[in-house]
Structure formats: structure tokens, C-alpha cells
Amino acid sequence: MEHKYPFIPYVADRYDEAEMIRRGRAFYEHVDRRRSVRFFSGEPVPRECVELAVLAANTAPSGAHQQPWKFVLIGDQATKRRIRQAAEVEERRNYEGGRLTPEWREALAPLETTSDKGYLEVVPWIVVCFAEKYGVRPDGSRVKHYYVNESVGIACGLFVTALHTMGLSTLTHTPNPMAFLSEICARPGNERPYILFPIGYAAPDAEVPDLTRKPLREALLHFSCTS
Ligand code: IYR
């Protein structure tokens, strides 16, 4: 094919059908073991593990390949404490100050979450993902970004999966509202805090709610045109 821009050949990996299904099942069973964790051990985690997870996230497809994400890594105790304190201020307004609607409270009840975010000081690493609402050229002018939420959401999905693959645990924490993260992480106005990830090993005595996942027949609808 003729191109105006550089193109290179791409050869996707192919497997026979039995191998496709074996691989698909193995991957499904692997990701099905992932749980959101709120009880962590303070054991150190190599920084390289987090870097590899960000490299994996950075492979996500994105609108016009603009890759509108930034991952900020925090490992020092003083910043973790600041984040915990600021998150708890907001969460106390949610849980104790009546900012959560009764319907929201009811939906959250089985998770038994509270305004205590102690895990933010226990974990060896916190990563805050920021979404670039728009880009900024060196001359200060704005670059329109497309499908920012979709792109950053997919990147965060890969990030979570990569951590899980390394035997690490995390939580997609969205302390609400999250504006304090822009200030603590010193991020510019074109970047919006997207998800905060506490990262570490699950505590040996960690517990998670006994949740089930919806069955395939509810997740996958086979539509077919019968005319
Ligand atoms: N941000 C609060 C509340 C919360 C909201 C949802 I939606 C959750 O799935 C879990 C918690 C908190 O972190 O406690």
C-alpha cells in the first residue's frame, strides 16, 4: 500500500484453535484471581515493578495515539502522609458529613469502606494517574485531545493487570473530589487526577468482600440479525 506517513509490517501472533482457547482460559483464570485490596503489607516493592506496569499501561490504544496519560510515582513517607490526610478530609465529608447519598451508601455497604485510608501510608508506592484533558505545545497553545476517558481508562486497566501479573495488589481509589492530588503532585491545569493507586503486597491477613462476578450471559449479548 502507498502511504504518506511511515508504515511498517505487523505480523500478529497466531495459534491453532486449541492453543487459542488454552491461552484465553489461562489469561481469564489469571485475571479472575485479581481483587481490589485495602489491606497491604509495608514490605518494599522494587521500583522496577512499577516502571514495568507503567510501560504496560503506556501500550494502551488511545485517541489519535495521543497517549493522554501521566503516571506520578510517590514513594516518600511524607507525601504519602499528606495524600492520606487530604483524602481522609474529603472522605470524612462523604461518610460522616452526609455527602454520600443514601442510595450511594447502600451500594457501598457490602464493601464496608470507611473514611479511614490508612493503607495510603502503609503501601510502599502510590501512583496517581492523571488524564491530560488537552495537550500543551512548547509555545503554550493547546492541542485538542480525543477520547481521553476511554484512552486513560484502558491504560489504567492494563496497569492494574500488569501489577496483578507481578503478584502485586492495588486499588482503584478515587477519593472524591480529587483536586488535592493536582496540588500535592504539582500537576498543571491541563491534567485531571484520574485514579489513585496504592501499590504493594496484599497483607498476609488481607480480606476482601465475598463478591461474585456477573455471568457471561449477562456480560455478553449475542445479537444477530435474523431477517
Ligand atoms: N471514594 C470513597 C467511596 C467509594 C466509592 C465507590 I463508587 C467505591 O467503589 C468505593 C468507595 C472511598 O474511597 O471510600
Side-chain angles (χ1 to χ4, degrees), residues 203-214:
D205 58 351
E207 292 183 313
V208 295
D210 188 10
L211 308 178
T212 54
R213 306 195 198 274
K214 67 180 175 185

Side-chain angles (χ1 to χ4, degrees), residues 35-43 110-114 116-124 167-173 198-210:
R35 294 297 309 264
S36 290
V37 164
R38 293 182 173 85
F39 302 96
F40 291 90
S41 100
E43 216 181 315
L111 306 184
E112 293 189 6
T113 52
T114 69
D116 183 336
K117 303 302 175 191
Y119 52 75
L120 292 173
E121 279 189 79
V122 171
V123 287
L168 293 166
S169 290
T170 190
L171 171 68
T172 50
H173 186 193
I199 296 166
Y201 297 102
D205 58 351
E207 292 183 313
V208 295
D210 188 10

Side-chain angles (χ1 to χ4, degrees), residues 8-16 20 23:
I8 53 172
Y10 175 66
V11 182
D13 296 340
R14 287 286 306 253
Y15 311 97
D16 64 45
M20 288 165 75
R23 291 175 67 96

Side-chain angles (χ1 to χ4, degrees), residues 171-218:
L171 171 68
T172 50
H173 186 193
T174 50
N176 187 14
M178 294 204 279
F180 67 88
L181 291 169
S182 298
E183 196 197 315
I184 293 176
C185 300
R187 299 315 304 160
N190 64 315
E191 295 180 15
R192 163 173 80 84
Y194 190 77
I195 295 178
L196 182 162
F197 298 96
I199 296 166
Y201 297 102
D205 58 351
E207 292 183 313
V208 295
D210 188 10
L211 308 178
T212 54
R213 306 195 198 274
K214 67 180 175 185
L216 184 63
R217 66 172 185 282
E218 285 175 32

Side-chain angles (χ1 to χ4, degrees), residues 30 49 52-54 56-57 156-168:
H30 170 60
C49 293
L52 285 165
V54 173
C156 287
L158 283 165
F159 183 67
V160 163
T161 307
L163 292 171
H164 173 64
T165 289
M166 291 183 271
L168 293 166

